[in-house]
PDB file of all heavy atoms in Angstrom:
ATOM      1  N   ALA A1293      46.141   2.132 -15.346  1.00 89.00           N
ATOM      2  CA  ALA A1293      45.910   0.783 -14.835  1.00 89.00           C
ATOM      3  C   ALA A1293      46.775   0.539 -13.609  1.00 89.00           C
ATOM      4  O   ALA A1293      46.341  -0.093 -12.630  1.00 89.00           O
ATOM      5  CB  ALA A1293      46.213  -0.249 -15.921  1.00 89.00           C
ATOM      6  N   CYS A1294      48.021   1.053 -13.647  1.00 90.00           N
ATOM      7  CA  CYS A1294      48.911   0.923 -12.485  1.00 90.00           C
ATOM      8  C   CYS A1294      48.335   1.640 -11.266  1.00 90.00           C
ATOM      9  O   CYS A1294      48.430   1.152 -10.140  1.00 90.00           O
ATOM     10  CB  CYS A1294      50.284   1.502 -12.817  1.00 90.00           C
ATOM     11  SG  CYS A1294      51.243   0.513 -13.976  1.00 90.00           S
ATOM     12  N   ILE A1295      47.761   2.812 -11.507  1.00 90.00           N
ATOM     13  CA  ILE A1295      47.186   3.595 -10.412  1.00 90.00           C
ATOM     14  C   ILE A1295      46.014   2.847  -9.773  1.00 90.00           C
ATOM     15  O   ILE A1295      45.894   2.768  -8.557  1.00 90.00           O
ATOM     16  CB  ILE A1295      46.745   4.984 -10.918  1.00 90.00           C
ATOM     17  CG1 ILE A1295      47.961   5.787 -11.369  1.00 90.00           C
ATOM     18  CG2 ILE A1295      45.961   5.740  -9.837  1.00 90.00           C
ATOM     19  CD1 ILE A1295      47.618   7.094 -12.062  1.00 90.00           C
ATOM     20  N   VAL A1296      45.136   2.285 -10.618  1.00 89.00           N
ATOM     21  CA  VAL A1296      43.996   1.519 -10.097  1.00 89.00           C
ATOM     22  C   VAL A1296      44.494   0.303  -9.332  1.00 89.00           C
ATOM     23  O   VAL A1296      43.950  -0.067  -8.281  1.00 89.00           O
ATOM     24  CB  VAL A1296      43.057   1.091 -11.248  1.00 89.00           C
ATOM     25  CG1 VAL A1296      41.966   0.156 -10.735  1.00 89.00           C
ATOM     26  CG2 VAL A1296      42.428   2.308 -11.908  1.00 89.00           C
ATOM     27  N   HIS A1297      45.558  -0.331  -9.860  1.00 89.00           N
ATOM     28  CA  HIS A1297      46.149  -1.476  -9.184  1.00 89.00           C
ATOM     29  C   HIS A1297      46.644  -1.081  -7.795  1.00 89.00           C
ATOM     30  O   HIS A1297      46.438  -1.810  -6.802  1.00 89.00           O
ATOM     31  CB  HIS A1297      47.300  -2.025 -10.028  1.00 89.00           C
ATOM     32  CG  HIS A1297      47.856  -3.321  -9.524  1.00 89.00           C
ATOM     33  ND1 HIS A1297      48.845  -3.388  -8.565  1.00 89.00           N
ATOM     34  CD2 HIS A1297      47.565  -4.613  -9.848  1.00 89.00           C
ATOM     35  CE1 HIS A1297      49.137  -4.645  -8.315  1.00 89.00           C
ATOM     36  NE2 HIS A1297      48.378  -5.420  -9.085  1.00 89.00           N
ATOM     37  N   ALA A1298      47.268   0.098  -7.697  1.00 89.00           N
ATOM     38  CA  ALA A1298      47.770   0.589  -6.411  1.00 89.00           C
ATOM     39  C   ALA A1298      46.621   0.893  -5.451  1.00 89.00           C
ATOM     40  O   ALA A1298      46.715   0.605  -4.244  1.00 89.00           O
ATOM     41  CB  ALA A1298      48.618   1.840  -6.641  1.00 89.00           C
ATOM     42  N   ILE A1299      45.547   1.458  -5.984  1.00 86.00           N
ATOM     43  CA  ILE A1299      44.366   1.749  -5.152  1.00 86.00           C
ATOM     44  C   ILE A1299      43.801   0.455  -4.578  1.00 86.00           C
ATOM     45  O   ILE A1299      43.434   0.373  -3.401  1.00 86.00           O
ATOM     46  CB  ILE A1299      43.294   2.497  -5.976  1.00 86.00           C
ATOM     47  CG1 ILE A1299      43.781   3.897  -6.345  1.00 86.00           C
ATOM     48  CG2 ILE A1299      41.973   2.583  -5.194  1.00 86.00           C
ATOM     49  CD1 ILE A1299      42.865   4.625  -7.312  1.00 86.00           C
ATOM     50  N   ALA A1300      43.752  -0.568  -5.417  1.00 86.00           N
ATOM     51  CA  ALA A1300      43.223  -1.859  -4.963  1.00 86.00           C
ATOM     52  C   ALA A1300      44.069  -2.425  -3.839  1.00 86.00           C
ATOM     53  O   ALA A1300      43.554  -2.894  -2.817  1.00 86.00           O
ATOM     54  CB  ALA A1300      43.156  -2.828  -6.138  1.00 86.00           C
ATOM     55  N   LEU A1301      45.394  -2.389  -4.024  1.00 89.00           N
ATOM     56  CA  LEU A1301      46.283  -2.912  -2.993  1.00 89.00           C
ATOM     57  C   LEU A1301      46.144  -2.138  -1.685  1.00 89.00           C
ATOM     58  O   LEU A1301      46.174  -2.722  -0.593  1.00 89.00           O
ATOM     59  CB  LEU A1301      47.739  -2.851  -3.484  1.00 89.00           C
ATOM     60  CG  LEU A1301      48.103  -3.790  -4.650  1.00 89.00           C
ATOM     61  CD1 LEU A1301      49.537  -3.530  -5.108  1.00 89.00           C
ATOM     62  CD2 LEU A1301      47.940  -5.250  -4.251  1.00 89.00           C
ATOM     63  N   LYS A1302      46.019  -0.807  -1.810  1.00 86.00           N
ATOM     64  CA  LYS A1302      45.870   0.025  -0.623  1.00 86.00           C
ATOM     65  C   LYS A1302      44.607  -0.320   0.151  1.00 86.00           C
ATOM     66  O   LYS A1302      44.554  -0.193   1.380  1.00 86.00           O
ATOM     67  CB  LYS A1302      45.866   1.495  -1.026  1.00 86.00           C
ATOM     68  CG  LYS A1302      45.899   2.462   0.150  1.00 86.00           C
ATOM     69  CD  LYS A1302      45.994   3.895  -0.324  1.00 86.00           C
ATOM     70  CE  LYS A1302      46.040   4.849   0.878  1.00 86.00           C
ATOM     71  NZ  LYS A1302      46.135   6.268   0.439  1.00 86.00           N
ATOM     72  N   ARG A1303      43.597  -0.784  -0.570  1.00 82.00           N
ATOM     73  CA  ARG A1303      42.322  -1.123   0.072  1.00 82.00           C
ATOM     74  C   ARG A1303      42.227  -2.610   0.409  1.00 82.00           C
ATOM     75  O   ARG A1303      41.163  -3.120   0.721  1.00 82.00           O
ATOM     76  CB  ARG A1303      41.154  -0.696  -0.819  1.00 82.00           C
ATOM     77  CG  ARG A1303      41.144   0.809  -1.077  1.00 82.00           C
ATOM     78  CD  ARG A1303      39.903   1.290  -1.753  1.00 82.00           C
ATOM     79  NE  ARG A1303      38.730   1.166  -0.920  1.00 82.00           N
ATOM     80  CZ  ARG A1303      37.537   1.674  -1.216  1.00 82.00           C
ATOM     81  NH1 ARG A1303      37.375   2.371  -2.330  1.00 82.00           N
ATOM     82  NH2 ARG A1303      36.513   1.501  -0.417  1.00 82.00           N
ATOM     83  N   GLY A1304      43.367  -3.289   0.304  1.00 84.00           N
ATOM     84  CA  GLY A1304      43.408  -4.677   0.742  1.00 84.00           C
ATOM     85  C   GLY A1304      42.944  -5.690  -0.271  1.00 84.00           C
ATOM     86  O   GLY A1304      42.607  -6.828   0.078  1.00 84.00           O
ATOM     87  N   VAL A1305      42.938  -5.315  -1.549  1.00 84.00           N
ATOM     88  CA  VAL A1305      42.502  -6.226  -2.607  1.00 84.00           C
ATOM     89  C   VAL A1305      43.674  -6.478  -3.540  1.00 84.00           C
ATOM     90  O   VAL A1305      44.340  -5.536  -3.992  1.00 84.00           O
ATOM     91  CB  VAL A1305      41.319  -5.642  -3.402  1.00 84.00           C
ATOM     92  CG1 VAL A1305      40.922  -6.586  -4.534  1.00 84.00           C
ATOM     93  CG2 VAL A1305      40.135  -5.392  -2.485  1.00 84.00           C
ATOM     94  N   VAL A1306      43.937  -7.751  -3.834  1.00 85.00           N
ATOM     95  CA  VAL A1306      44.986  -8.110  -4.793  1.00 85.00           C
ATOM     96  C   VAL A1306      44.303  -8.493  -6.104  1.00 85.00           C
ATOM     97  O   VAL A1306      43.707  -9.569  -6.211  1.00 85.00           O
ATOM     98  CB  VAL A1306      45.839  -9.283  -4.279  1.00 85.00           C
ATOM     99  CG1 VAL A1306      46.920  -9.637  -5.306  1.00 85.00           C
ATOM    100  CG2 VAL A1306      46.467  -8.937  -2.939  1.00 85.00           C
ATOM    101  N   PRO A1307      44.350  -7.601  -7.119  1.00 83.00           N
ATOM    102  CA  PRO A1307      43.660  -7.893  -8.380  1.00 83.00           C
ATOM    103  C   PRO A1307      44.246  -9.106  -9.093  1.00 83.00           C
ATOM    104  O   PRO A1307      45.440  -9.380  -9.011  1.00 83.00           O
ATOM    105  CB  PRO A1307      43.885  -6.624  -9.203  1.00 83.00           C
ATOM    106  CG  PRO A1307      44.262  -5.571  -8.206  1.00 83.00           C
ATOM    107  CD  PRO A1307      45.000  -6.287  -7.130  1.00 83.00           C
ATOM    108  N   LYS A1308      43.384  -9.833  -9.791  1.00 79.00           N
ATOM    109  CA  LYS A1308      43.807 -10.962 -10.620  1.00 79.00           C
ATOM    110  C   LYS A1308      43.571 -10.573 -12.062  1.00 79.00           C
ATOM    111  O   LYS A1308      42.531 -10.888 -12.652  1.00 79.00           O
ATOM    112  CB  LYS A1308      43.022 -12.216 -10.261  1.00 79.00           C
ATOM    113  CG  LYS A1308      43.263 -12.695  -8.834  1.00 79.00           C
ATOM    114  CD  LYS A1308      42.440 -13.927  -8.530  1.00 79.00           C
ATOM    115  CE  LYS A1308      42.668 -14.398  -7.093  1.00 79.00           C
ATOM    116  NZ  LYS A1308      41.847 -15.587  -6.760  1.00 79.00           N
ATOM    117  N   THR A1309      44.513  -9.830 -12.607  1.00 62.00           N
ATOM    118  CA  THR A1309      44.354  -9.310 -13.963  1.00 62.00           C
ATOM    119  C   THR A1309      44.700 -10.362 -14.986  1.00 62.00           C
ATOM    120  O   THR A1309      45.315 -11.396 -14.679  1.00 62.00           O
ATOM    121  CB  THR A1309      45.237  -8.074 -14.172  1.00 62.00           C
ATOM    122  OG1 THR A1309      46.585  -8.428 -13.827  1.00 62.00           O
ATOM    123  CG2 THR A1309      44.784  -6.939 -13.283  1.00 62.00           C
ATOM    124  N   GLN A1310      44.334 -10.086 -16.227  1.00 48.00           N
ATOM    125  CA  GLN A1310      44.596 -11.025 -17.318  1.00 48.00           C
ATOM    126  C   GLN A1310      46.103 -11.191 -17.521  1.00 48.00           C
ATOM    127  O   GLN A1310      46.891 -10.252 -17.351  1.00 48.00           O
ATOM    128  CB  GLN A1310      43.964 -10.535 -18.612  1.00 48.00           C
ATOM    129  CG  GLN A1310      42.436 -10.524 -18.571  1.00 48.00           C
ATOM    130  CD  GLN A1310      41.860  -9.963 -19.852  1.00 48.00           C
ATOM    131  OE1 GLN A1310      42.586  -9.574 -20.747  1.00 48.00           O
ATOM    132  NE2 GLN A1310      40.536  -9.931 -19.915  1.00 48.00           N
TER     133      GLN A1310
END
Side-chain angles (χ1 to χ4, degrees):
C1294 289
I1295 295 172
V1296 173
H1297 188 273
I1299 292 172
L1301 292 175
K1302 188 176 181 180
R1303 299 189 67 171
V1305 178
V1306 180
K1308 296 179 181 179
T1309 54
Q1310 294 177 359

